[in-house]
Amino acid sequence: MTKMTVNNRPVEYLLDPETPLLWALRDASNLTGTKYGCGTGDCGACMVLVDGVALRSCLVTIAEAEGRLVTTIEGLSRDRSHPVQQALVAEQAIQCGFCTPGIAIAAAALIEDNPSPSREDMDAAIPNLCRCGVYPRLARAIKRASEAASGAAPIEAAPPPAIEPEEAARDVPALRPTSAPPRD
C-alpha cells in the first residue's frame, strides 16, 4: 500500500509500488487532467506538483511519491480561478488543450518560486512541448499570471470562475443537449 495526499485528500494505492504516478492518478484516482504524452519525460503533458515542485508524473513511481503532497491540474483550482488558469484563457494560450494541464502546473510552480519571472526563467522552468506552438502567447500569459498573483493587475478578460454547465450551454448553443435520437 502506498499512501500520499493527492489534491489535499489522503489516498492509498493498492498498486505495484513501481507504478508510475501518472497511471495511479489517471486510472486509480480518475484524475484524467494529467495527460499521457510520451511516457519518457520529454513532453511535460503529465506534469504534476509533488511537494510544490513540478515533476513529470510518468517518471515518478508511486513509491517515490509515498508520503508526499501531490497536486494535479484538478487540485490547482477547482473553479479555474488560479491566476495561471485565468491568464491562459485571457491570453488565448490554449489551442487543442492537450498540453495545457502540464503547462499550467509548471507555470504555477514557476510563479510560486519566482513571482516575477523573466522570459529566460520561463523557458528554463517550462520545458513542456506544445504541438500547437502557443509559446509567444504562453509567455504573455505567464507574465500576466505573475502580475495577477502579486495583486498588481487583475485578470478581467477571462471567463468568470465557477461557471455552471447550464450557464455555458446558454452562452454556447453547441453545448445544448439535443433531443434527437442517437445515430447508429
Side-chain angles (χ1 to χ4, degrees), residues 64-149:
E64 293 169 321
E66 184 163 16
R68 299 174 81 183
L69 176 63
V70 176
T71 305
T72 68
I73 190 67
E74 293 91 346
L76 191 60
S77 170
R78 284 225 168 283
D79 66 357
R80 299 179 307 276
S81 63
H82 191 280
V84 169
Q85 292 169 310
Q86 289 288 295
L88 286 169
V89 172
E91 290 295 331
Q92 299 178 19
I94 300 169
Q95 289 289 319
C96 76
F98 189 82
C99 66
T100 306
I103 288 173
I105 289 289
L110 169 64
I111 291 170
E112 181 69 27
D113 189 50
N114 180 351
S116 186
S118 68
R119 178 62 191 253
E120 292 77 26
D121 296 332
M122 292 177 207
D123 292 343
I126 304 173
N128 305 60
L129 299 176
C130 174
R131 298 170 183 164
C132 302
V134 300
Y135 301 110
R137 287 180 274 164
L138 175 60
R140 288 193 306 269
I142 294 169
K143 179 163 179 45
R144 192 166 181 182
S146 69
E147 292 168 353

Side-chain angles (χ1 to χ4, degrees), residues 15 21 29 34 43 53 60 66 72 94 101 106 121 136 142 151 163 166 172 177 179:
L15 301 168
L21 179 58
S29 294
T34 303
C43 72
V53 176
V60 177
E66 184 163 16
T72 68
I94 300 169
D121 296 332
I142 294 169
I163 189 168
E166 296 77 24
V172 183
S179 58

Side-chain angles (χ1 to χ4, degrees), residues 31-52:
L31 296 169
T32 57
T34 303
K35 304 299 183 202
Y36 172 76
C38 65
T40 59
D42 293 324
C43 72
C46 66
M47 200 79 73
V48 297
L49 298 175
V50 179
D51 292 336

